[in-house]
Amino acid sequence: MIIIMEPKASDIQVQKVIDFLKANGFEIRFNRGEIHTVIDAIGDKTTVTPGRISGFDGVKEVKIIREPFRLASRDRKPDDTIVEFSNGVKIGGNNKPVFMAGPCSVEDYDGLIKVAQAAKESGCQFLRGGAFKPRTSPYDFQGYGEKALKFLQKAGNETGLLTVSEIMDASDIDLMCEYIDVLQIGARNVQNFKLLHAVGKCKKPVILKRGLSSTIREFLLAAEHILYNGNPNVILCERGIRSFDSAFTRNVMDIASIPVIKKYSHLPIIVDPSHGTGERYLIEPMAKAGLVVGADGVMIEVHHDPENALSDGKQSLPIAMFKDVMSRLNQLTEKIHYEKNCLSANIG
Ligand code: PEP
Ligand code: MN
């Protein structure tokens, strides 16, 4: 890390920083300029974090040279992580992008199975539905809990789809793992560190959604918590961030985050254009955009009767529209997959 001292930092203040870093095993190069003194410290940032140094008197700024997410970084693991399921489905690397679909909340079994069958027919690999719902208002529908997990499992078994559902509390881990294949951590829980640690300790694949106001670095550091606790099966999900203009879209779906994350991390990343935009008509163009820039999959909210959905009806595709959208997304996926593999075969 590089430590820039205040112009008026005294020799004693500079020496205190240097002594502390040296005592912690850092190698120091330092440059006393006319205005600023700059200390270049090379060593293990797990023993002394940049935040620890910025507390010293006379320190103006601490810059990091290497990204603080280690296990999630491509420097550490150049090859893409591929999350593999027992039925042969794979997410990441040169594998064909996957599709996940389902209602925001699991309501009744009849509705769920209609959506599940449409998802299966349309080439999806995952059925996704909420059992425990993180709702801004306590008066909104909170999810049917275990009953919904049972419906999901049943619909998954009947269609052969893998199942995804959100975990809100670490104490639900055993219950969730009994019924479903992938644990989702929602945007509101991206920095719930106890939850991240808990899913890190179990080996179920985890879909980690970007937080409403997460920077890309914070997002990758959240994933780092899961990796650090022992679970390598992390799938990131870009679901839009909050910005100043909510007149036309619920969130700003940060398409650039996909190639950025691909550059700095080996983890697979999917896109969620439903929460990313909040608008039915934007799901297809934004799913396409995500696929074109390299997303490893797409997650879409679908409901058998969106007008009467208990949550997120506005951004859910009705079944007929979903099938239509999927036919075009499948065509695009084939094309992208073909080009990606031809390219890597030519390079290889
Ligand atoms: C959801 O997937 O239904 C959900 C609540 O998503 P997010 O956490 O991205 O808001
Ligand atoms: Mn939703």
Side-chain angles (χ1 to χ4, degrees):
M1 64 188 125
I2 306 270
I3 297 118
I4 303 165
M5 302 298 294
E6 295 282 2
K8 287 189 185 135
S10 67
D11 287 349
I12 293 172
Q13 286 171 336
V14 173
Q15 199 54 49
K16 252 183 144 177
V17 174
I18 291 175
D19 289 347
F20 179 77
L21 286 163
K22 278 190 174 165
N24 282 283
F26 278 74
E27 195 186 308
I28 303 296
R29 283 186 217 130
F30 109 105
N31 178 4
R32 199 143 192 35
E34 249 177 60
I35 299 174
H36 286 290
T37 296
V38 177
I39 302 168
D40 183 359
I42 303 152
D44 182 1
K45 283 202 299 295
T46 52
T47 56
V48 177
T49 60
R52 181 81 175 76
I53 299 300
S54 48
F56 277 75
D57 276 341
V59 170
K60 179 170 188 276
E61 202 182 336
V62 182
K63 287 186 189 276
I64 42 175
I65 304 298
R66 193 162 341 126
E67 286 298 337
F69 44 88
R70 301 176 159 224
L71 301 173
S73 90
R74 225 184 244 289
D75 289 347
R76 171 85 170 235
K77 180 176 179 289
D79 293 340
D80 290 321
T81 284
I82 295 171
V83 178
E84 210 170 330
F85 295 85
S86 54
N87 65 354
V89 169
K90 292 180 185 156
I91 307 183
N94 276 347
N95 292 292
K96 204 184 275 184
V98 296
F99 288 91
M100 308 180 177
C104 179
S105 302
V106 173
E107 298 166 17
D108 57 301
Y109 186 73
D110 288 353
L112 182 67
I113 194 69
K114 280 185 197 151
V115 171
Q117 276 155 356
K120 181 70 184 176
E121 281 166 30
S122 304
C124 294
Q125 295 81 4
F126 296 83
L127 173 64
R128 193 216 80 119
F132 298 99
K133 296 303 302 175
R135 304 308 300 278
T136 304
S137 163
Y139 306 110
D140 284 336
F141 178 59
Q142 307 290 307
Y144 283 132
E146 187 170 3
K147 183 171 99 175
L149 294 177
K150 286 185 177 166
F151 286 168
L152 264 179
Q153 186 189 48
K154 189 165 173 227
N157 288 341
E158 202 155 314
T159 52
L161 293 168
L162 294 157
T163 53
V164 184
S165 198
E166 176 164 354
I167 179 161
M168 279 174 55
D169 194 291
S171 65
D172 291 330
I173 280 233
D174 292 341
L175 180 75
M176 301 282 302
C177 290
E178 189 184 330
Y179 293 109
I180 55 119
D181 301 300
V182 186
L183 301 169
Q184 174 180 316
I185 293 196
R188 290 153 191 82
N189 268 319
V190 69
Q191 286 191 321
N192 179 340
F193 300 111
K194 280 198 172 165
L195 185 57
L196 298 175
H197 296 175
V199 299
K201 289 193 179 102
C202 93
K203 295 286 174 279
K204 279 265 180 196
V206 178
I207 292 177
L208 177 67
K209 287 197 165 193
R210 183 169 179 184
L212 276 67
S213 61
S214 302
T215 62
I216 292 175
R217 188 175 286 139
E218 285 165 347
F219 187 22
L220 287 169
L221 278 169
E224 187 80 4
H225 277 271
I226 303 175
L227 301 174
Y228 182 71
N229 279 278
N231 189 348
N233 300 309
V234 178
I235 301 146
L236 303 168
C237 178
E238 170 59 56
R239 52 78 71 204
I241 46 176
R242 177 88 47 100
S243 188
F244 54 86
D245 186 356
S246 58
F248 297 97
T249 56
R250 180 177 175 182
N251 289 302
V252 173
M253 194 169 148
D254 182 6
I255 284 294
S257 75
I258 289 107
V260 170
I261 285 173
K262 288 269 166 209
K263 178 173 156 76
Y264 289 97
S265 176
H266 50 83
L267 293 173
I269 177 160
I270 63 170
V271 289
D272 169 359
S274 305
H275 294 88
T277 67
E279 294 292 334
R280 202 169 285 155
Y281 81 100
L282 290 173
I283 292 176
E284 179 175 352
M286 294 311 278
K288 285 179 174 166
L291 289 167
V292 167
V293 297
D296 298 296
V298 180
M299 177 189 275
I300 299 176
E301 283 189 339
V302 183
H303 198 278
H304 65 289
D305 179 14
E307 285 175 2
N308 290 302
L310 294 179
S311 61
D312 283 350
K314 185 176 190 287
Q315 66 190 33
S316 298
L317 294 182
I319 290 178
M321 188 174 171
F322 166 67
K323 287 184 176 172
D324 215 35
V325 166
M326 277 304 294
S327 69
R328 290 185 291 276
L329 294 182
N330 281 324
Q331 279 174 27
L332 178 66
T333 302
E334 288 300 329
K335 211 164 168 233
I336 291 170
H337 186 59
Y338 175 77
E339 282 175 12
K340 198 168 159 186
N341 281 286
C342 279
L343 200 68
S344 58
N346 288 342
I347 293 166

